[in-house]
Amino acid sequence: MFRIVRSRTLATLHEECARVESIETEALSLRADLETQEQGYLAVIKQTSRERDDARAEAEAARTQVEAALAQVLLDAEDRVALRALLRTARKQAKTLDRVFVLFRHGSLHSVHASMEAAEGAAEAEGAPRSGWTSQPPGAAMPPADQVAWRVQPLKLGGCQ
């Protein structure tokens, strides 16, 4: 069967066909552009992911270094405290005595001690009362030694001055 088509209709069909072909060409071009942009975006995403992973690794390394430094600071502080305690102990042990405390019993030399407390303790161990220890005010006359049961007298060391 034959169909008769007018020339105007045929021309319109040819124009629409040409327009469809140009739209198809433009669509293919746009698709190629989109694929190129997609590849670029994927490359940017990969690069950004690598940079993020590197930054995380650097942050972890820095955190580890900070923890190690903090631990070292704490150890150093403990070392300083221990050193101060050792220095105090060494100073106490190395301290030279500038005086001794002599314990007399009825005026006779009984013993010599490094501190007043040690002399009083020695007298108490020999039977002296725990209370009643007094000191003479400076410049006051001391009672005769034979009249006092127990007496502790500080004496300076190091010769005459």
Side-chain angles (χ1 to χ4, degrees), residues 27-82:
L28 288 174
S29 173
L30 288 174
R31 184 175 183 176
D33 289 346
L34 285 174
E35 287 176 357
T36 304
Q37 287 179 355
E38 182 182 18
Q39 294 300 321
Y41 292 147
L42 290 176
V44 168
I45 289 171
K46 287 179 183 178
Q47 177 66 28
T48 305
S49 296
R50 270 188 252 120
E51 290 174 359
R52 181 203 59 212
D53 293 342
D54 292 345
R56 283 182 179 168
E58 287 178 21
E60 182 64 25
R63 187 183 61 76
T64 304
Q65 288 178 349
V66 166
E67 287 175 356
L70 179 61
Q72 185 62 43
V73 166
L74 292 175
L75 286 175
D76 290 347
E78 288 176 5
D79 288 347
R80 281 193 298 275
V81 169

Side-chain angles (χ1 to χ4, degrees), residues 49-129:
S49 296
R50 270 188 252 120
E51 290 174 359
R52 181 203 59 212
D53 293 342
D54 292 345
R56 283 182 179 168
E58 287 178 21
E60 182 64 25
R63 187 183 61 76
T64 304
Q65 288 178 349
V66 166
E67 287 175 356
L70 179 61
Q72 185 62 43
V73 166
L74 292 175
L75 286 175
D76 290 347
E78 288 176 5
D79 288 347
R80 281 193 298 275
V81 169
L83 182 59
R84 284 187 193 123
L86 287 173
L87 285 172
R88 257 187 259 119
T89 303
R91 286 180 185 140
K92 286 179 184 176
Q93 290 176 353
K95 187 188 278 185
T96 57
L97 296 176
D98 64 339
R99 68 184 64 208
V100 293
F101 297 87
V102 181
L103 178 61
F104 292 97
R105 183 174 190 175
H106 295 290
S108 300
L109 176 66
H110 181 272
S111 57
V112 178
H113 301 276
S115 68
M116 178 70 87
E117 294 79 19
E120 290 174 358
E124 290 171 0
E126 293 287 325

